[in-house]
Amino acid sequence: MEPVIIVLIILVVLVFIALIKTIQVIPQASAAIVERFGRYTRTLNAGLNIVVPFIDTIRNRIDLREQVVPFPPQPVITQDNLVVNIDTVIYYQVTDARAATYEVASYIQAIEQLTVTTLRNIIGGMDLERTLTSREEINAALRGVLDEATGKWGIRVNRVELKAIEPPTSIQDSMEKQMRADRDKRAAILQAEGVRQSEILRAEGEKQSQILRAEGEAKAAALRAEGEAQAVRTVFEAIHAGDPDQKLLSYQYLQMLPKIAEGDANKLWIVPSEIGDALKGLSGAMGNFGGIGGGSGGNGGATGPQVPAQERREKPSID
């Protein structure tokens, strides 16, 4: 009985193993390649799949999700014979698991080498300045070449990005000096523009200030002249309204003479010719007052001292 039990145990184990090999569960976004006696039979999709045990074998399981592969820096020579190191990142997705398995031995390595050769062709037709400023153009050209070449491998290249472009150290130093010089130039230009604008505004302010000051002085002079004219008219009207005689005018004229001689700097002053007329007016007034006094003395027998005639003749006449 023991050999029978051993055989039954072996059969149960074989059946269990066969069941395990028969049922294949494929995860979502994955695919599996089935070979029968070393020949491709079919592709298993996501879910529960049944295969023939010990006859069908699973050769490869492929992830159908989008993959990201960074490639190490690659030296590339530009059109002006400068070596730059370029880092690239490839975004790809497997669309045909059978082609990705049988059409190329290693599609990752194939994509990397194709990327390097394509970059050298593209960058070789550009100078350094254009290379540094044309990333979008390089990405588009590289993606077009890779997508066309990898289509037969069951690969779709979705995006290609240049992660870094590193020129030589000497070129970097020169570029930094140039950028520093450009920044200094822009700063000097902006400073000069600021000084120029400030001078213009200051000149405009001074101009407006002078114009306003001149207008104010002109208005003040006009008002002053108008006031003096009004004062002269008022005095003139007052004089004519009072109807002064020649005697009053002569007296007022003589009162102004001391004011003419005022001041320490007046060493010499000229007597106007009109002073003679004033003196004649005053002498006439004094003569009238004297005649009135003499007549009363003669008639009344005044006892005051008499001035001799000879003494009167020696005195200068006021006339």
Side-chain angles (χ1 to χ4, degrees), residues 7-201:
V7 172
L8 291 176
I9 293 174
I10 293 173
L11 290 175
V12 170
V13 172
L14 291 176
V15 170
F16 183 74
I17 294 173
L19 289 175
I20 293 175
K21 288 184 172 292
T22 301
I23 300 174
Q24 296 290 333
V25 178
I26 306 300
Q28 183 67 33
S30 298
I33 301 299
V34 178
E35 292 182 349
R36 180 172 295 176
F37 299 114
R39 185 176 181 179
Y40 171 76
T41 303
R42 58 190 174 123
T43 301
L44 301 181
N45 297 319
L48 183 63
N49 296 274
I50 304 297
V51 297
V52 179
F54 307 107
I55 297 177
D56 295 337
T57 57
I58 304 298
R59 176 178 176 177
N60 192 14
R61 295 178 182 268
I62 298 177
D63 193 347
L64 300 179
R65 293 174 297 179
E66 186 174 6
Q67 305 293 322
V68 181
V69 179
F71 295 144
Q74 299 294 330
V76 181
I77 301 176
T78 61
Q79 188 177 10
D80 46 359
N81 296 325
L82 294 175
V83 179
V84 294
N85 294 323
I86 299 180
D87 296 351
T88 55
V89 179
I90 303 296
Y91 296 81
Y92 73 93
Q93 185 176 9
V94 177
T95 57
D96 189 353
R98 176 183 175 279
T101 303
Y102 296 106
E103 295 295 335
V104 62
S106 175
Y107 55 84
I108 296 297
Q109 186 178 1
I111 292 174
E112 180 180 0
Q113 296 302 319
L114 183 60
T115 301
V116 172
T117 55
T118 306
L119 267 178
R120 288 175 179 173
N121 292 332
I122 296 173
I123 301 300
M126 299 181 177
D127 55 7
L128 179 60
E129 184 176 359
R130 185 181 174 189
T131 301
L132 295 175
T133 58
S134 303
R135 292 199 177 193
E136 294 296 333
E137 181 181 354
I138 297 172
N139 292 340
L142 188 60
R143 180 183 176 278
V145 173
L146 290 177
D147 196 18
E148 182 181 359
T150 58
K152 62 180 181 180
W153 300 339
I155 306 295
R156 183 177 69 246
V157 177
N158 296 326
R159 293 182 62 186
V160 179
E161 295 292 339
L162 300 183
K163 186 167 62 175
I165 300 177
E166 298 179 359
T169 306
S170 59
I171 301 299
Q172 291 182 6
D173 295 339
S174 300
M175 292 172 61
E176 289 178 359
K177 292 179 181 179
Q178 183 180 0
M179 292 175 62
R180 191 179 302 112
D182 290 339
R183 287 195 296 268
D184 294 341
K185 178 181 176 181
R186 288 195 297 269
I189 292 174
L190 292 176
Q191 185 177 2
E193 288 291 337
V195 172
R196 174 175 173 271
Q197 190 67 23
S198 176
E199 293 294 334
I200 291 174
L201 293 176

